[in-house]
Amino acid sequence: MQDTRAVLDTLVQSSAVDLFHSFGIAVAPVALARQRAETDKLSQFVGHELLGSIAFVGKGFTGSLLLSVPDDVFQLLKQNPERPYTGRDWIREATNQMLGRIKNRLTQFQISIQSGLPSTPGRDALERLRARSATFLVYGFRTLRGGACVALGGDIEPSLFVYSGAPLGAQSEGDIILF
Amino acid sequence: MTERKVLIVDDSETIRQQVAGALEHAGFLVVEAADGVDGLECAGKNDLCMVILDVNMPRLNGLEMLERLKSDPKYATLPVLMLTTEVQQSMIERAKKAGARGWMIKPVKLDQLVSTVTKLASSH
């Protein structure tokens, strides 16, 4: 059980590091021991931060993923001044891409998930999410402008993970397949 | 020179702004839609050389929009590039079967996207 939990930890952490790297933002995972102490504490997701949420469903489980990023980190993004976008929309898209990376990595474990549409939940929606999920696994990351968090909630059973030995997805993020 | 107009359909304003900015810089005109319903309407009102299409969107998703678009003979040769986080082989096959010309997995590499759009649009 511990091994499969470690697999999930690695999978989420590597997905987040790669995601932020794609935005040109350096992040470092917070030590695992500290993360586990924070499990089920979602209060840190309510504050002056950008917060995105996305639901997912797989064979035999459902869940949701939350991504929280300080507004100061969003300000680090290089935007085209003629084509600006809001932090609220960016966090929705970042949450969508975060789940996309996790989905791609899960194919190595013969797990297929379908995602919903990303949203930016308010306090009430966050409380409903907490009520639906007995436990959230919370992963912290340090950035130059404060801490970012990823939380994974639901009834995901790590024993579902069966490593197939397949390479990481048939395709990787950023690939273009021409028909 | 004939204007080259690209339709980008994505419910993310962030993606639309990033892609539109890069394509405009490369000399394309860009029209935008936030879901498949608006995307079909936009396609009907514009003379397009290319469509870039997200998959997961409200109201009408990208695969459904693609299938409806390609069921109209006048769009048979219009190149469509799917742009999504999805990597499921069944979805990729469905898009290919419906007539898409390619599948790009987010995050968007803008230089790669522009060169692909340039190549596909020139074939239309």
Side-chain angles (χ1 to χ4, degrees), chain A residues 2-167:
Chain A
Q2 187 59 41
D3 285 346
T4 49
R5 172 61 204 271
V7 164
L8 186 60
D9 291 343
T10 304
L11 195 144
V12 173
Q13 287 182 324
S14 65
S15 297
V17 170
D18 288 352
L19 173 78
F20 283 100
H21 178 74
S22 76
F23 295 129
I25 297 167
V27 299
V30 174
L32 281 173
R34 188 175 150 202
Q35 288 175 21
R36 285 183 178 140
E38 291 171 349
T39 296
D40 204 27
K41 292 182 180 175
L42 287 182
S43 55
Q44 61 194 289
F45 282 89
V46 181
H48 305 290
E49 303 193 331
L50 298 170
L51 173 63
S53 161
I54 190 166
F56 56 85
V57 59
K59 194 175 179 182
F61 63 90
T62 60
S64 54
L65 177 123
L66 300 172
L67 174 64
S68 167
V69 177
D71 189 60
D72 284 351
V73 170
F74 171 68
Q75 302 303 330
L76 290 172
L77 296 176
K78 288 177 185 161
Q79 290 202 39
N80 177 347
E82 292 173 4
R83 285 282 189 175
Y85 45 85
T86 63
R88 190 178 161 89
D89 188 80
W90 174 78
I91 195 69
R92 283 178 65 248
E93 180 58 25
T95 306
N96 181 41
Q97 292 189 22
M98 177 70 194
L99 185 62
R101 287 169 185 275
I102 291 174
K103 257 194 310 196
N104 198 11
R105 284 160 174 75
L106 282 174
T107 59
Q108 284 185 302
F109 300 93
Q110 301 177 38
I111 293 177
S112 173
I113 61 174
Q114 284 79 50
S115 52
L117 295 172
S119 64
T120 49
R123 184 180 294 271
D124 290 348
L126 200 59
E127 285 304 322
R128 284 195 297 274
L129 276 176
R130 177 154 51 184
R132 279 206 301 267
S133 294
T135 305
F136 269 87
L137 305 175
V138 180
Y139 300 88
F141 300 86
R142 287 194 190 91
T143 78
L144 290 173
R145 300 280 180 91
C149 276
V150 174
L152 202 55
D155 54 359
I156 306 160
E157 172 52 59
S159 65
L160 289 171
F161 287 40
V162 180
Y163 185 66
S164 66

Side-chain angles (χ1 to χ4, degrees), chain A residues 83-86 89-90 92-93 97 101 103-104 113-115 117 171-179, chain B residues 12-15 17-18 20 24 32 56 86-88 92 100-107 112 116:
Chain A
R83 285 282 189 175
Y85 45 85
T86 63
D89 188 80
W90 174 78
R92 283 178 65 248
E93 180 58 25
Q97 292 189 22
R101 287 169 185 275
K103 257 194 310 196
N104 198 11
I113 61 174
Q114 284 79 50
S115 52
L117 295 172
Q171 289 81 34
S172 300
E173 294 88 10
D175 281 356
I176 294 185
I177 308 155
L178 291 179
F179 304 141
Chain B
S12 165
E13 179 198 23
T14 301
I15 294 293
Q17 293 287 65
Q18 289 175 339
E24 285 169 351
E32 302 173 33
N56 294 321
E86 295 291 347
V87 293
Q88 275 186 54
I92 297 173
R101 296 287 303 279
W103 188 279
M104 183 175 193
I105 302 160
K106 292 177 181 178
Q112 210 178 357
T116 303

Side-chain angles (χ1 to χ4, degrees), chain B residues 64-104:
Chain B
E64 291 166 334
M65 178 186 155
L66 173 69
E67 287 164 348
R68 290 196 197 180
L69 190 75
K70 288 295 183 178
S71 69
D72 185 335
K74 77 178 173 192
Y75 299 116
T77 60
L78 178 66
V80 178
L81 176 68
M82 308 304 290
L83 176 61
T84 177
T85 61
E86 295 291 347
V87 293
Q88 275 186 54
Q89 201 57 37
S90 59
M91 286 189 179
I92 297 173
E93 288 300 324
R94 183 176 164 190
K96 186 179 176 182
K97 189 179 170 191
R101 296 287 303 279
W103 188 279
M104 183 175 193

